[in-house]
Amino acid sequence: MEITLQLFGNEYVIAETIVNTWIIVILLSIFAIYVNRKIKKARVNEKPSKFLNFIELLVEGVESLVETTMGRDKLGFAPYIGTLALYLVVANLFGLIGLKPPTSDYNVTFALAIITFVLTQYYGLKSKGLGGYIKGFFEPFWPLFPLNVIGELANPVSLSFRLFGNILSGVIIMFLLYQALGAFSIIVAPVFHAYFDVFAGVIQTFIFIMLTMVFISMAMED
């Protein structure tokens, strides 16, 4: 659902994917506030509820993944990786309720990839220092400098296109399926939704956060 605004005599259209992104951010914020209140009300000497056990399992899973992939000294990235994973998995599953997934818009996936790129360069520069950061582009041999620069700039492009292409292809295939089968699509659509929305959505979320962790870790290595 697009939103059209009239401001100072000009018409501005807010894309459906941006509106859906706002919806996801609001939903996740409400969820975070709800979890925070539940945790504050929990007592140390009482058995935690099943809901809090589930939340604890999720948090430990993210921390374990970050520790395994990036190392124990980089556990500080766990909140960012967990937030990114939550947003992506909800965004990728939006097609299940008949709304357009935000990640089927290249502007959204490119913005997320740019955040990863900025983090990669910032922490690479911070951990190696300016000299070590620049020296890394000339390794292992100085003639490889142009290729190293191109490779670094290509990371956000490949990262964003992989997620965008997989989610958009699922949206297009499901649209064609509903158009071709009409009323009969209700019989076979659940199977395709399970693959293109659930399976592909979760896998692409996992790939995106894994590549984000790998890029940042490699940038910080000496």
Side-chain angles (χ1 to χ4, degrees):
M1 178 183 67
E2 293 181 346
I3 294 178
T4 304
L5 298 176
Q6 296 285 346
L7 293 175
F8 308 109
N10 296 317
E11 185 177 285
Y12 299 93
V13 178
I14 301 176
E16 181 183 358
T17 50
I18 301 301
V19 176
N20 291 344
T21 294
W22 290 348
I23 294 173
I24 293 171
V25 170
I26 292 171
L27 290 176
L28 289 179
S29 298
I30 293 172
F31 177 71
I33 293 170
Y34 177 74
V35 172
N36 180 264
R37 287 184 177 178
K38 282 285 185 184
I39 292 174
K40 283 183 176 177
K41 289 181 180 178
R43 297 181 183 276
V44 179
N45 55 351
E46 292 181 359
K47 183 181 178 182
S49 64
K50 291 182 180 178
F51 176 74
L52 286 182
N53 277 330
F54 175 71
I55 296 298
E56 185 178 355
L57 191 67
L58 283 180
V59 172
E60 288 182 352
V62 172
E63 288 184 343
S64 175
L65 185 64
V66 171
E67 183 178 351
T68 305
T69 309
M70 304 180 74
R72 189 165 184 78
D73 59 320
K74 298 181 181 65
L75 268 178
F77 288 97
Y80 171 68
I81 296 300
T83 304
L84 183 63
L86 268 180
Y87 170 76
L88 283 176
V89 77
V90 175
N92 291 344
L93 296 178
F94 238 43
L96 290 174
I97 56 175
L99 297 175
K100 189 175 182 181
T103 41
S104 64
D105 184 341
Y106 184 67
N107 294 296
V108 174
T109 59
F110 187 65
L112 294 172
I114 285 296
I115 293 173
T116 294
F117 177 76
V118 171
L119 286 175
T120 303
Q121 304 311 312
Y122 172 75
Y123 282 102
L125 187 59
K126 185 179 179 182
S127 62
K128 296 178 181 176
L130 181 59
Y133 175 78
I134 295 175
K135 182 184 175 185
F137 288 99
F138 293 90
E139 292 178 342
F141 311 105
W142 68 265
L144 293 180
F145 172 74
L147 290 179
N148 287 334
V149 172
I150 293 172
E152 201 67 26
L153 294 176
N155 283 340
V157 178
S158 64
L159 190 63
S160 56
F161 265 118
R162 182 182 292 105
L163 177 60
F164 164 71
N166 278 281
I167 302 302
L168 180 65
S169 62
V171 171
I172 292 174
I173 290 172
M174 291 309 300
F175 174 77
L176 294 175
L177 183 72
Y178 279 111
Q179 293 297 315
L181 299 181
F184 294 102
S185 60
I186 195 171
I187 301 173
V188 296
V191 178
F192 288 89
H193 273 301
Y195 178 78
F196 289 112
D197 290 321
V198 180
F199 179 74
V202 173
I203 288 294
Q204 290 306 316
T205 296
F206 182 73
I207 291 173
F208 196 96
I209 63 170
M210 283 298 294
L211 288 176
T212 294
M213 288 188 288
V214 169
F215 288 156
I216 295 174
S217 295
M218 289 177 64
M220 295 176 71
E221 287 178 357
D222 294 328

